Every structure is written in structure tokens, then in C-alpha cells.
Amino acid sequence: MKIDVVKNVLAASEAQADLNRRRLNEAGVVAINIMSAPGSGKTTLLAKTIPALAPDSRCGVLVGDLQTTRDAEQLGGLGAAVVQINTGRGCHLSPAEVAEGLKRIDLAGIDFLFIENVGNMVCPAAFDLGEHVRAVLLSVPEGEDKVAKYPTLFQAADAILLTKVDLMEALNYNVATVREDLSRINTRAPLMEVSAQSGAGMDEWLAWLHGRLA
Ligand code: MG
């Protein structure tokens, strides 16, 4: 009987994700699930991305964190519709939380919905939230070994952003290791080298986003 219960919970989660995707499709919104470790620069990337997409494309953001509204406050003044979701002890966003967030955003008024997942390299990868694509961030200060150590996160990615590349020289970063590890598990997703600080690589990221609208 216990096995049935677990199956039901998973099936309910997948059904909710499908409902979310249907709502987004009906509104013509492209949803991007953004995942990474804490501190990789998800919020900072969004703070540069939202103004760069305006005025042609309008954005909504669901921000997941265990506690605080700091990320929503950081993104609040940029003209996007921002909803903070506090998960308490939850190490990832759930489709049900995303459904609640969707109720608080006027989907007719946006083109992109960014779902900033809880900073975590393990749990978020296991949950379909109803997004269309997944963007995974890896920052230079985290080191070169994370693709090999956390393959499930990178396997599920449609785009991979190596962030904070302005620190590459100072940290003697070997991007070849990252590319080699990725070649074993995900040859589909582009690896973009970006710095929200210097603006490097942002054009490639924005072009990739525009490509998802088509
Ligand atoms: Mg954040």
C-alpha cells in the first residue's frame, strides 16, 4: 500500500506540472526554470536580463527561497511582475507552489516567466514544474568539478550558463574541464560563458531566450 501512496504523490505532482504548462501555453508564455547552487548568480542574472528584454518582451518572475523576500525586492523595481515563494524547509519548488504563484501574475501581460528555483544542485532537478525549458547556472568560483559531481542537474539542462566569467583569470579557471565533462552527459545544451557584471556573453543568452519564443 505504501508504494501506491508514493506513486500517487508523484502522479499528482506530474499532473500539476502539466496543468501549469497548459495554463502557460494558453497565455502564450514561455517558462524557464532556472536552477543552480546558492550564490551562482541566478537573481543577478535576472536583474540584468529583465531590463535587457524590455520593452519588446515583458517578464514575470517566481522566486523560490527558503526564507526572506530579498530576491523579490532586488527584482521588484525592474518592471517585471515578481512573486516570492518561501518554501520553509523545502529544498526545491513544487508544481503546486508554482500554480499558486501563477495565480498572482497576469499571464496575459508577460512573454517570459522565469522560475528561479531554490538554490540547490540536487533536489530541483527531480521536479517538473510545468516549465518549457531549463537553464542551469554554474559559477566560476564553484570550481570546475561540479558537472561531474552533480550530473543529474546538468543532464536535464536546455542551456548551461557559466557565470562570473570575469573571475576566470583570477581563479585560474579551466573551462576545458567543464566542457569535457559536459560532452559526456549533455551535448544538446549550449554552454554560454557570461558575466552579469561585465555584460560578457549576455547577447548570446538573450538571443537564446528570444529563440524560445519562436
Ligand atoms: Mg536568488
Side-chain angles (χ1 to χ4, degrees):
M1 289 305 282
K2 272 189 176 172
I3 291 169
D4 285 342
V5 172
V6 171
K7 275 186 183 168
N8 287 341
V9 169
L10 288 177
S13 175
E14 284 165 19
Q16 183 62 64
D18 287 339
L19 278 175
N20 292 348
R21 193 153 29 240
R22 200 178 310 161
R23 273 201 76 194
L24 292 160
N25 287 342
E26 283 165 4
V29 174
V30 173
I32 302 107
N33 185 356
I34 301 185
M35 297 181 280
S36 79
S40 299
K42 296 183 291 301
T43 311
T44 303
L45 178 74
L46 289 177
K48 298 285 175 156
T49 300
I50 292 163
L53 288 170
D56 298 344
S57 303
R58 298 152 301 168
C59 301
V61 190
L62 302 181
V63 197
D65 280 301
L66 271 65
Q67 300 287 343
T68 82
T69 55
R70 287 184 192 184
D71 284 2
E73 285 161 21
Q74 187 182 339
L75 298 173
L78 302 174
V82 183
V83 175
Q84 178 85 50
I85 300 171
N86 282 150
T87 60
R89 294 181 180 192
C91 59
H92 61 87
L93 284 174
S94 70
E97 287 164 335
V98 168
E100 283 303 310
L102 292 180
K103 288 180 192 167
R104 291 164 170 80
I105 287 183
D106 175 20
L107 296 180
I110 61 169
D111 306 291
F112 291 104
L113 177 74
F114 295 103
I115 306 170
E116 183 187 329
N117 219 313
V118 176
N120 184 302
M121 296 188 90
V122 182
C123 311
F127 291 86
D128 178 8
L129 302 177
E131 73 272 14
H132 298 100
V133 284
R134 294 178 160 198
V136 171
L137 275 59
L138 168 67
S139 70
V140 164
E142 290 170 65
E144 297 96 342
D145 57 356
K146 296 301 177 291
V147 173
K149 286 185 176 176
Y150 299 89
T152 53
L153 181 68
F154 293 93
Q155 269 160 356
D158 297 293
I160 298 163
L161 288 89
L162 182 63
T163 60
K164 310 188 190 183
V165 293
D166 50 302
L167 299 175
M168 218 182 253
E169 204 178 307
L171 295 175
N172 195 23
Y173 195 81
N174 185 8
V175 70
T177 304
V178 173
R179 290 192 180 276
E180 197 183 316
D181 289 341
L182 279 175
S183 73
R184 291 194 198 95
I185 60 161
N186 187 337
T187 52
R188 186 175 49 88
L191 175 67
M192 306 178 213
E193 300 182 19
V194 305
S195 166
Q197 201 73 33
S198 73
M202 287 298 290
D203 286 349
E204 190 184 358
W205 163 238
L206 295 171
W208 184 85
L209 287 172
H210 279 126
R212 299 318 102 192
L213 286 175

